Amino acid sequence: MQKPSSTDLLEKSNVARYIQLASLFRGRIERGDWAIGARIPTVEQLSKEFGVAGMTIRQALDQIEKEGLIERFRAKGTFVRARPERDLWCEVQTDWNGLLMSRADAQIEVLSDTPGATLAQADFDHGTVAPSYRHLRRLHRRQNVPFLVADVYVDEKLQPLIPEENYSTTTAMRLVSDLPGVRVADARQILSVASADVETAQLLQLSMNDPIVLVQRLAIDEEGRLILVANGIYRGDKVRIDMKLLT
């Protein structure tokens, strides 16, 4: 099988070329193709390799320079300074207390807010779906870089109990925890790995087919009703999953 060329790696999508290139360059550093302390190819060499304008290469390098991965020196070139810190952004917890935790420096933007949403019972092995949900699509950022997009469904019967500001400030599970008269009797978390499609790549500033982690979280009350469903998509390079196997 013929190995794809460098230009083939740049997907034809609405994702900006410099974002795709920044992801590729970040990957080269992480894999060690560009070792720490090594000088990377010049803008002219990279421009020729990927068949893009020098300005696009500079924008991509600006991106990873802001992340502290490279350092530029006049008349000397550009050198690798550090590898990406994979566990810097978000740690997916696997216990109830961990699911309630939020990073103090994370920002949540509500992209859409739709009342009266419905879910199909056939999509769930646990719990009974509620008649209607409030559906919010939320984008989570750290240092102005997106790391999670999530579709959150909250049972509309809980609306009077949840302060409105919580929808843009708290984690999904915390929305329904400790509500008066409501007890979460069962909570589940389901993880899988996939590749970014066009829409996800745009939202999370990734290249097409970059790795993503899908995390579904379910909260079920004492009556067996699904009071919360949260479908999260994490950037694969900004998340760590830590599971304790022995107690």
Side-chain angles (χ1 to χ4, degrees), residues 54-242:
M55 178 60 71
T56 304
I57 297 295
R58 292 187 184 91
Q59 287 178 300
L61 294 177
D62 286 343
Q63 182 81 17
I64 63 173
E65 184 177 31
K66 290 176 184 177
E67 298 170 16
L69 304 184
I70 60 172
E71 191 170 5
R72 291 157 161 169
F73 297 94
R74 186 180 298 275
K76 289 185 178 180
T78 301
F79 294 80
V80 178
R81 180 179 177 183
R83 285 195 176 95
E85 297 185 28
R86 293 183 61 87
D87 62 342
L88 174 65
W89 302 82
C90 181
E91 188 166 0
V92 174
Q93 301 287 342
T94 56
D95 67 315
W96 175 245
N97 290 330
L99 294 181
L100 299 179
M101 293 174 58
S102 61
R103 299 296 293 256
D105 54 351
Q107 305 90 39
I108 301 174
E109 176 187 359
V110 177
L111 302 178
S112 63
D113 188 346
T114 307
T118 58
L119 296 173
Q121 183 63 57
D123 293 335
F124 300 94
D125 296 327
H126 307 281
T128 303
V129 299
S132 63
Y133 292 87
R134 181 174 179 177
H135 171 208
L136 301 102
R137 170 159 274 207
R138 309 196 303 179
L139 185 65
H140 298 239
R141 294 186 178 91
R142 287 191 66 209
Q143 301 174 14
N144 293 319
V145 176
F147 66 91
L148 164 65
V149 60
D151 287 288
V152 181
Y153 297 84
V154 184
D155 188 348
E156 286 195 322
K157 76 170 185 179
L158 304 181
Q159 286 288 100
L161 304 176
I162 303 174
E164 190 64 26
E165 63 269 17
N166 286 16
Y167 290 104
S168 59
T169 58
T170 65
T171 61
M173 281 297 190
R174 187 167 286 280
L175 287 172
V176 298
S177 67
D178 302 323
L179 295 179
V182 178
R183 188 176 82 85
V184 177
D186 190 11
R188 295 177 181 269
Q189 181 170 246
I190 304 162
L191 294 87
S192 57
V193 178
S195 300
D197 58 17
V198 173
E199 183 181 14
T200 301
Q202 287 179 292
L203 288 170
L204 296 181
Q205 297 182 3
L206 297 171
S207 296
M208 282 279 290
N209 298 320
D210 271 0
I212 54 175
V213 179
L214 308 179
V215 180
Q216 182 179 70
R217 296 184 175 116
L218 310 175
I220 302 170
D221 69 7
E222 291 181 297
E223 298 176 355
R225 185 193 301 254
L226 277 165
I227 58 175
L228 178 132
V229 175
N231 298 319
I233 305 174
Y234 289 84
R235 285 180 57 143
D237 62 337
K238 301 297 184 186
V239 66
R240 185 179 73 175
I241 302 168
D242 192 356

